[in-house]
Amino acid sequence: MTEEDSIFDPTMKIKKKKKKKTTFDLDAAMAEGGSGGEATEGIGDKENQEPELGAIDDDEGLDLENFGKKKKKKKKAFNLDELDMALPESKKEDGAEPIGEDGPAESNFDLDMEFSGKKKKKRKNILDNLVAEEEKKEAEDRENGFTESERSVETVEDTTSWLGSDRDYTYDELLARVFEIMREKNPDMVAGKKQKFVMRPPQVVRIGTKKTSFANFTEICKTLHRQPKHLLDFLLAELGTSGSVDGNSQLIIKGRFQQKQIENVLRRYIKEYVTCHTCRSPDTILQKDTRLFFLQCESCGSRCSVASIKSGFQAVTGKRAAIRAKTT
Amino acid sequence: MSIQNLNTFDPFADAIKGSDDDVQDGLVHIRIQQRNGRKTLTTVQGLSSEYDLKKIVRACKKEFACNGTVIEHPEYGEVLQLQGDQRENICQWLTKSGLAKPDQLKVHGF
């Protein structure tokens, strides 16, 4: 035991801290308690321990002092390769944009020179002019890999903590990393910064005591790009009533409803039948295909089936005598 | 050291696990219907027929202090019907008693 300690001690002292020492001691004690074959155990232990120590070191280094020099070098090299690898992918990803950007890339080159000077400012700008930024970034990737690598070192810092070490990366780390890269390449796409979908509120007026009028029904259908019939079906099924569209294109619903309640139901409709389930963008098309409704997204191209509208069980609320009279 | 991609993955793990717990499957639709005036009805459709709905309705009536009944419907099976707006109550009660999971409950209406 003492031998081992003495072997490990110097490195530890350099690497700092009592905490680590205690963990190591614990392990060592375990090993000691475990069996008599101390020498062999010790060797095995050493082998096990060393990579782990390295890993721990790496983590702490990250937290405390942003890499030792050696690590930084490694990282840079890796990032360069890595970026090169990532580049074609990213291009494929944003296929929506025109990619033949040799022209803009060149024109942006002088901009890049400035850019390397004031990185921070650019960051803030990211939200404003996405397309330009995109082009610039690509140009930058191509022309001066150096600034890019530096930049990515800044950002990737926390997600690639396993790079210098021997330990395995975990799923969470990889996930964080891929999101980091995605966010970097196209800042508008990733969730969190979705665009607002603004709509006119429904105008709901009571007619008499028993009916409610939904005045801008057709207008709302138009803004949602949906058939009035579909929305009508949904509203009536959801509210459990009956109703119809009258002459001046307003919807008359039986029952008393307030604007808030209608708004609630509309919100549910939009969530289910208007916004894309994958990317949540509102420009979608609802198609009917062999009795099933499919939601086709215009921006991300996903296509998924949506639930058909069913009214379900309806309890008898009217006059039973009248119903009986009608059926018999 | 193991490679994460090469770990064995049992594709039927879900299927094996799914059947044994006593929570029912399928959605439970909770709807509200307006009656005359301010009055409303709450209907609960889709509870598994393995449950004794009469007992459930008895417990609900006591809990929510309302009247209620079980209606036999040719298409939808047995449906609970409670007086008044009991949507919140019935949701909480169903999850608390373990008859349905919260994500199986589907509340309709305004």
Side-chain angles (χ1 to χ4, degrees):
Chain A
M1 244 21 284
T2 50
E3 260 180 88
E4 239 176 63
D5 266 335
S6 64
I7 291 166
F8 270 99
D9 245 335
T11 54
M12 293 237 274
K13 257 169 200 165
I14 293 163
K15 292 274 156 78
K16 86 227 148 206
K17 274 188 183 176
K18 276 162 203 167
K19 220 180 191 178
K20 235 172 275 165
K21 211 172 204 172
T22 53
T23 58
F24 174 69
D25 275 344
L26 260 177
D27 280 6
M30 292 265 282
E32 199 181 26
S35 64
E38 216 178 270
T40 52
E41 281 277 324
I43 292 161
D45 234 353
K46 243 184 268 172
E47 278 172 0
N48 283 340
Q49 212 92 123
E50 258 165 334
E52 210 181 284
L53 265 182
I56 291 165
D57 255 8
D58 219 353
D59 281 343
E60 297 217 339
L62 270 176
D63 288 338
L64 298 178
E65 27 154 44
N66 287 340
F67 308 116
K69 265 182 191 166
K70 198 172 72 187
K71 267 167 218 155
K72 198 163 195 173
K73 230 173 222 169
K74 244 187 210 168
K75 206 146 274 178
K76 242 177 213 174
F78 179 79
N79 268 325
L80 269 175
D81 300 59
E82 202 254 4
L83 274 169
D84 283 352
M85 300 255 284
L87 248 182
E89 274 174 31
S90 74
K91 267 177 203 161
K92 254 179 253 160
E93 264 177 315
D94 42 29
E97 276 176 64
I99 309 177
E101 276 156 343
D102 281 26
E106 269 172 1
S107 65
N108 278 334
F109 183 54
D110 43 357
L111 274 175
D112 286 332
M113 302 314 266
E114 288 173 62
F115 177 77
S116 58
K118 33 182 174 175
K119 260 175 274 168
K120 289 283 150 56
K121 219 174 184 181
K122 262 288 145 56
R123 280 277 181 82
K124 272 176 217 156
N125 264 349
I126 276 181
L127 282 175
D128 299 342
N129 41 0
L130 299 171
V131 182
E133 177 66 11
E134 200 73 25
E135 283 169 6
K136 257 172 226 167
K137 228 181 262 169
E138 262 169 42
E140 181 194 325
D141 285 345
R142 230 172 275 156
E143 312 287 347
N144 48 353
F146 182 66
T147 48
E148 174 63 34
S149 71
E150 229 181 33
R151 200 158 147 270
S152 58
V153 162
E154 276 174 31
T155 52
V156 175
E157 234 168 40
D158 43 351
T159 52
T160 56
S161 50
W162 76 86
L163 271 185
S165 66
D166 265 351
R167 97 193 148 85
D168 256 347
Y169 38 76
T170 63
Y171 177 74
D172 287 330
E173 277 167 335
L174 286 183
L175 198 67
R177 181 156 165 257
V178 95
F179 266 93
E180 196 82 27
I181 292 169
M182 266 162 72
R183 219 163 281 154
E184 213 171 279
K185 299 285 181 211
N186 32 2
D188 63 328
M189 197 195 78
V190 185
K193 297 170 211 141
K194 52 179 181 186
Q195 319 115 297
K196 272 271 169 66
F197 182 56
V198 186
M199 248 184 65
R200 203 78 62 77
Q203 291 166 1
V204 177
V205 189
R206 177 94 63 78
I207 303 176
T209 51
K210 286 197 169 168
K211 285 181 193 164
T212 311
S213 143
F214 183 172
N216 55 356
F217 173 67
T218 35
E219 194 186 326
I220 281 181
C221 286
K222 261 177 206 149
T223 54
L224 294 178
H225 304 291
R226 289 289 171 274
Q227 299 273 331
K229 190 176 169 297
H230 191 253
L231 181 54
L232 175 79
D233 281 347
F234 181 82
L235 280 177
L236 295 185
E238 217 36 23
L239 297 172
T241 55
S242 54
S244 58
V245 183
D246 80 345
N248 32 3
S249 75
Q250 62 179 0
L251 174 63
I252 310 289
I253 316 168
K254 200 172 154 229
R256 306 168 164 197
F257 299 99
Q258 277 144 19
Q259 186 187 333
K260 214 172 173 189
Q261 298 171 325
I262 300 287
E263 223 175 272
N264 240 339
V265 180
L266 267 181
R267 223 171 279 251
R268 226 177 296 156
Y269 178 81
I270 289 166
K271 196 180 157 217
E272 176 72 29
Y273 295 101
V274 179
T275 54
C276 171
H277 293 209
T278 315
C279 70
R280 288 193 231 133
S281 96
D283 56 344
T284 53
I285 298 175
L286 196 66
Q287 297 167 317
K288 194 162 189 177
D289 228 10
T290 59
R291 290 191 222 172
L292 290 173
F293 278 110
F294 284 93
L295 197 66
Q296 172 102 39
C297 181
E298 291 289 274
S299 57
C300 76
S302 87
R303 180 182 160 88
C304 63
S305 68
V306 287
S308 60
I309 297 167
K310 268 185 267 168
S311 62
F313 173 74
Q314 292 289 322
V316 183
T317 52
K319 294 193 175 78
R320 287 171 195 266
I323 296 165
R324 205 179 304 155
K326 211 186 278 174
T327 49
T328 53
Chain B
M1 190 195 292
S2 67
I3 298 164
Q4 281 176 336
N5 286 350
L6 296 184
N7 286 346
T8 53
F9 168 70
D10 182 11
F12 300 108
D14 285 344
I16 293 163
K17 188 187 57 151
S19 58
D20 64 349
D21 51 3
D22 54 0
V23 177
Q24 61 147 20
D25 48 9
L27 282 176
V28 177
H29 297 273
I30 295 165
R31 293 195 177 80
I32 189 163
Q33 241 179 308
Q34 287 191 334
R35 287 177 58 222
N36 42 0
R38 284 172 52 102
K39 293 176 182 166
T40 48
L41 272 182
T42 308
T43 59
V44 182
Q45 174 202 324
L47 281 173
S48 164
S49 54
E50 286 168 20
Y51 299 142
D52 189 349
L53 286 235
K54 282 193 183 123
K55 273 190 181 163
I56 290 176
V57 95
R58 218 171 291 152
C60 286
K61 280 160 74 170
K62 203 162 202 179
E63 183 84 14
F64 312 147
C66 67
N67 205 352
T69 178
V70 180
I71 289 179
E72 188 71 41
H73 193 276
E75 189 181 343
Y76 303 117
E78 288 182 317
V79 180
L80 286 191
Q81 185 176 312
L82 299 166
Q83 289 183 1
D85 184 357
Q86 312 290 352
R87 288 175 298 170
E88 290 281 304
N89 292 335
I90 195 79
C91 282
Q92 280 170 7
W93 189 81
L94 283 177
T95 47
K96 201 183 71 196
S97 60
L99 292 175
K101 283 183 225 130
D103 54 337
Q104 287 177 322
L105 299 175
K106 191 147 201 277
V107 181
H108 299 268
F110 35 82

